[in-house]
Amino acid sequence: MALFLAGERQSWIFVFKCLLALYLTAWLSMLLQLQQPATAMITVAIVMHPQRGMVLAKSFYRAIGTAAGSLFALLLMAIFPQQSELLVLCLSLWVGLCSGGAVLHRNFMAYGFVLAGYTAAVVILPAVSDPHRIFDSAMLRVSEVMLGIVVAALVSDIVWPEDVRAALRRTEREHYEDFIAFARESLSGKMPRTQLEQAHLRCVRAAVQLEDMRASVIFEDPQARVRSSRMRLLNLRYMAAATSIQSLLHLIHRLERSQHGRTARALMQLYAPVGDALASTATLTTRLDACQAQLPTLAAQLRATLRQQPDLLLQFDSGATLLQRFAGELRDFVALDASLRDTPGRLRGATERVVFKRSNDRGAALIAATRTFLTMAGLGAFWLATDWPSGTTAMLLATLFSGLLATMSTPVAATTNTWVGFALGAVAAYVSSFCLLPGGDGFTMLVLGTLPLLMIGPYLTTRNATLPGVGAGYTLGFVLMLALKNPMVYDPEHFINEALASLFGLMITGTAFMVMPAVVGSRWLRRRQMQQLRRQVQRAATAPLPGLLYAFESGNRDLFHQIVQHTRHGSAESRSLMSWGLAIHECGRALLELRQDLQHHALPVRVRASSLRAVQALAQLYDLPGAEQWNRADHAVERAIVQARRALPRARTSCHPVLSHLLQLRNALRDDESALAPYIATAAKSTPSR
């Protein structure tokens, strides 16, 4: 009951803030003699969010989209002032491109693209028959939108503000503690592979969630903007450390399965000081520094127990190198986390510039752009052919929702829910407009005549998990059909025509998604994304090294997250995806480290040449998986290992790290529990003597 009451309290606070912003916007619009207060109110309805950082982020991108759309509308009308057909055709193309841009980008940046298309339509369509109105129309629309943005931001910032910053700190702390606990508890080496896969999935979701929240919190907090680069670097160091420990645990598991228990136990003993350091989070950086200092000595002692078995000794050296890398990355991650928790005055020093690489599919964007273009062109042709007075309203609704719903995996269901909500909102607006408002006078009566019915929309929005889209559709339908003007006009016939046109536009949008289904979350897109994910290994093998580590770590996780969120948990497809994700992360990171070794060490010619061939063979294997490609990659890696072992006595300093990473790649290649297992079995059957 306490949780229910707390949830209801938060819901009604949001409803109050939303209504306050709506009515304050309406009052200011009328005071400033703006032509269509409804446009400003619609802006408020769209950008309002329980957290003020989200409101500011949405407002920022809406402002950019509004400005871009208005400028394009002015340019387009200047080019085609008397050619309505060409004007509508070019507008449809622009809206389609904006819809494709929305699919290519994430979060509220996508929303900016949607608004760029919507604003161009809002400015152009009413002025098609009178081009001289285009500049006034653009200025009025921009003024109304900006007023709504400013009021929504002020109300969200002043009235019971709820910060994203607090949620970000809480979420970051939860993920930090979860990772430290995972690193501490995984030292036994007995963690099942399924548990490792779930840990990898948690890491992926955490990394993407933290980046999304960071992108919003910078709008509400000056200190967050100052620390933005450090927060992003913290996230990327977290990803790097997570990849290293998962690779180490995989190595220990493989050694145990291949009857190399002594080497596995030696590595776990080497890992023990790290576990002891993680026993408490107090002064963790200092303890990890001490742990790093003692690892070489302990590694030498444990290595002495394996001297009679050269192969096991090499495996131990590979694991020790991996462990030392993890310990260093963990220490850097913990130290940066500690610095971010310091007071602003104690934050010292600059940090490297890093980016969180987003992965997108241009095919999905092209399909969305084509669908939206055909929808808008069809509606535009129908409007021009019939001279339907409310045709522009239908086009506006289609413009807005074609872009907004293009990023969803179930746009037809979302359109249906929005259509229902819009219809209910239109009915409520009719009751207010023609039953409650005509008998009153003044702004107070306007509030009293609309408040009981308008508050339903924001409240339904807080129940979006159970009624997705209905609340937003209701609020939009009520505000749009109420159509507050200066002065107010009561015309039932016009009201009904506009309502039918709006519902028709939504219906056409839903039909377009049925004819050209959305590819977000589809099997076709997942196959393309899986191919793109595998090609991340090729990127790790060929892309320029500066900045590649963080681009690889973040790009992989962002792409993996896109695929996994549309895959049923526990299904065969989900298990296959998890297996591929782990293999790609481990192999790609090992290739990247190997390339670093090749670049920074003076190696014998044969070692360098054979290592480069191994890198190329592995890139080809993941680009086009198959038994033949696996066989070539395995032979290439084996030859590189032989060359590195031969050169080891005379060039230990340079060849030792190369050999460690080659061994790690061979272990990953021959892992019979990985995504490569089917190709291993096929290759073994084709070469029985091996």
Side-chain angles (χ1 to χ4, degrees):
M1 178 59 72
L3 290 176
F4 172 77
L5 292 177
E8 284 296 298
R9 177 179 176 274
Q10 291 300 113
S11 297
W12 283 106
I13 287 175
F14 172 72
V15 170
F16 174 77
K17 291 167 65 174
C18 192
L19 292 173
L20 178 61
L22 284 168
Y23 286 118
L24 184 57
T25 300
W27 179 74
L28 288 173
S29 298
M30 293 178 178
L31 182 66
L32 297 173
Q33 297 294 309
L34 296 181
Q35 190 180 59
Q36 294 184 10
T39 302
M41 295 176 70
I42 289 171
T43 299
V44 171
I46 292 176
V47 304
M48 282 302 289
H49 191 277
Q51 295 172 320
R52 67 187 181 110
M54 301 297 185
V55 174
L56 295 173
K58 292 173 76 173
S59 298
F60 175 78
Y61 289 113
R62 179 172 175 107
I64 292 177
T66 299
S70 298
L71 290 174
F72 178 80
L74 291 173
L75 176 64
L76 194 59
M77 186 62 80
I79 298 173
F80 303 112
Q82 302 294 332
Q83 293 82 28
S84 300
E85 293 80 5
L86 290 176
L87 186 69
V88 171
L89 184 65
C90 291
L91 176 63
S92 301
L93 180 60
W94 168 258
V95 174
L97 291 174
C98 290
S99 181
V103 173
L104 271 180
H105 294 80
R106 225 66 53 76
N107 302 326
F108 300 125
M109 189 180 295
Y111 185 70
F113 279 90
V114 174
L115 265 296
Y118 175 72
T119 303
V122 167
V123 172
I124 286 178
L125 292 177
V128 168
S129 58
D130 186 6
H132 297 290
R133 294 173 48 202
I134 187 66
F135 184 80
D136 292 340
S137 176
M139 293 302 101
L140 284 170
R141 296 298 86 77
V142 171
S143 300
E144 290 157 359
V145 168
M146 293 304 176
L147 176 63
I149 287 173
V150 170
V151 172
L154 287 174
V155 170
S156 182
D157 193 54
I158 295 172
V159 181
W160 288 310
E162 184 178 342
D163 294 339
V164 179
R165 177 179 58 182
L168 174 61
R169 288 177 176 174
R170 183 173 59 253
T171 304
E172 189 274 330
R173 178 52 39 188
E174 290 172 356
H175 291 318
Y176 174 86
E177 292 174 354
D178 179 68
F179 180 67
I180 295 299
F182 168 74
R184 183 175 60 246
E185 295 166 3
S186 61
L187 301 183
S188 65
K190 302 297 184 182
M191 187 174 290
R193 188 179 183 89
T194 54
Q195 196 170 343
L196 281 176
E197 291 175 351
Q198 291 306 310
H200 176 64
L201 181 58
R202 289 199 306 273
C203 173
V204 167
R205 287 173 172 164
V208 175
Q209 181 186 20
L210 289 172
E211 172 60 17
D212 290 343
M213 296 180 75
R214 183 209 61 83
S216 295
V217 76
I218 60 175
F219 288 95
E220 71 176 24
D221 184 10
Q223 281 300 321
R225 286 193 292 275
V226 171
R227 297 170 176 230
S228 178
S229 294
R230 286 179 182 254
M231 288 190 290
R232 181 175 275 168
L233 180 60
L234 177 72
N235 195 10
L236 293 170
R237 284 184 176 174
Y238 163 60
M239 290 186 277
T243 300
S244 295
I245 189 174
Q246 286 166 357
S247 297
L248 178 62
L249 293 173
H250 282 309
L251 174 61
I252 293 174
H253 287 183
R254 290 166 191 144
L255 290 171
E256 289 180 332
R257 292 202 314 273
S258 58
Q259 309 304 316
H260 294 160
R262 285 186 61 196
T263 310
R265 287 190 295 273
L267 285 174
M268 284 187 279
Q269 285 179 280
L270 183 60
Y271 199 118
V274 181
D276 294 338
L278 295 175
S280 172
T281 57
T283 65
L284 183 53
T285 305
T286 304
R287 291 203 306 279
L288 286 173
D289 282 333
C291 174
Q292 275 188 278
Q294 74 179 74
L295 280 179
T297 303
L298 180 58
Q301 294 172 357
L302 292 170
R303 195 176 190 275
T305 65
L306 304 171
R307 284 192 182 278
Q308 296 178 352
Q309 297 175 295
D311 288 338
L312 298 186
L313 193 62
L314 289 174
Q315 294 286 4
F316 175 81
D317 288 343
S318 177
T321 300
L322 191 53
L323 175 56
Q324 288 171 347
R325 186 183 88 193
F326 167 67
E329 290 171 345
L330 180 63
R331 190 268 172 200
D332 291 341
F333 168 62
V334 169
L336 184 55
D337 178 79
S339 73
L340 280 170
R341 283 186 277 118
D342 285 343
T343 59
R346 292 169 56 195
L347 192 58
R348 296 284 188 272
T351 187
E352 58 186 294
R353 295 183 62 84
V354 293
V355 296
F356 190 100
K357 178 69 176 177
R358 296 288 193 177
S359 300
N360 300 293
D361 188 276
R362 290 185 173 86
L366 180 61
I367 290 174
T370 303
R371 182 198 308 111
T372 303
F373 167 74
L374 294 176
T375 302
M376 292 299 298
L379 279 172
F382 179 76
W383 170 52
L384 293 174
T386 60
D387 199 23
W388 182 21
S390 298
T392 56
T393 302
M395 292 186 69
L396 289 177
L397 266 293
T399 300
L400 180 61
F401 286 98
S402 291
L404 286 177
L405 302 180
T407 59
M408 301 186 66
S409 58
T410 55
V412 176
T415 306
T416 302
N417 291 340
T418 304
W419 193 96
V420 171
F422 194 98
L424 293 174
V427 172
Y430 184 91
V431 174
S432 288
S433 295
F434 302 108
C435 299
L436 302 177
L437 293 182
D441 185 27
F443 189 77
T444 302
M445 294 306 298
L446 170 66
V447 174
L448 293 176
T450 56
L451 179 62
L453 296 172
L454 177 57
M455 66 192 304
I456 296 173
Y459 183 79
L460 288 176
T461 303
T462 65
R463 297 294 180 266
N464 208 47
T466 54
L467 297 169
V470 175
Y474 182 99
T475 305
L476 185 62
F478 188 95
V479 173
L480 185 63
M481 299 316 305
L482 188 65
L484 290 181
K485 291 183 176 64
N486 253 335
M488 189 68 178
V489 177
Y490 298 100
D491 185 349
E493 182 179 346
H494 178 76
F495 182 99
I496 293 173
N497 282 333
E498 291 293 299
L500 292 176
S502 300
L503 294 173
F504 179 73
L506 275 171
M507 185 178 67
I508 292 298
T509 301
T511 303
F513 279 110
M514 294 174 67
V515 174
M516 292 186 66
V519 297
V520 176
S522 66
R523 234 175 241 282
W524 175 82
L525 184 59
R526 288 202 297 274
R527 284 198 299 269
R528 286 175 59 88
Q529 289 172 329
M530 274 301 303
Q531 185 180 26
Q532 190 178 352
L533 184 63
R534 289 196 302 270
R535 283 179 178 168
Q536 293 296 313
V537 176
Q538 186 179 54
R539 183 181 182 191
T542 58
L545 284 173
L548 182 57
L549 171 60
Y550 294 141
F552 173 79
E553 291 285 357
S554 57
N556 275 11
R557 282 172 170 81
D558 182 69
L559 189 55
F560 185 86
H561 184 260
Q562 291 181 62
I563 306 172
V564 78
Q565 66 179 336
H566 298 296
T567 307
R568 185 169 57 84
H569 179 69
S571 64
E573 185 179 19
S574 176
R575 291 193 297 272
S576 173
L577 171 61
M578 295 299 301
S579 183
W580 273 112
L582 288 171
I584 289 165
H585 261 74
E586 182 176 10
C587 182
R589 180 65 188 278
L591 281 177
L592 200 154
E593 297 292 336
L594 176 59
R595 290 182 62 206
Q596 294 276 11
D597 297 335
L598 295 175
Q599 184 181 60
H600 295 112
H601 292 92
L603 294 165
V605 175
R606 290 185 177 181
V607 176
R608 182 179 295 277
S610 60
S611 298
L612 287 174
R613 285 193 291 270
V615 169
Q616 294 170 359
L618 283 163
Q620 292 169 1
L621 168 63
Y622 278 87
D623 187 34
L624 189 64
E628 184 179 347
Q629 289 83 355
W630 181 91
N631 218 5
R632 283 202 296 266
D634 188 61
H635 279 299
V637 172
E638 187 65 34
R639 283 196 297 270
I641 290 174
V642 170
Q643 293 295 337
R645 291 184 66 174
R646 287 175 180 173
L648 195 61
R650 64 180 185 275
R652 173 168 291 277
T653 302
S654 59
C655 289
H656 181 268
V658 170
L659 181 58
S660 294
H661 291 119
L662 287 169
L663 288 168
Q664 184 184 345
L665 288 167
R666 186 179 69 179
N667 288 330
L669 264 176
R670 297 180 180 180
D671 185 355
D672 58 2
E673 290 186 354
S674 74
L676 300 176
Y679 312 121
I680 300 172
T682 304
K685 291 178 182 178
S686 63
T687 55
S689 61
R690 199 155 176 238

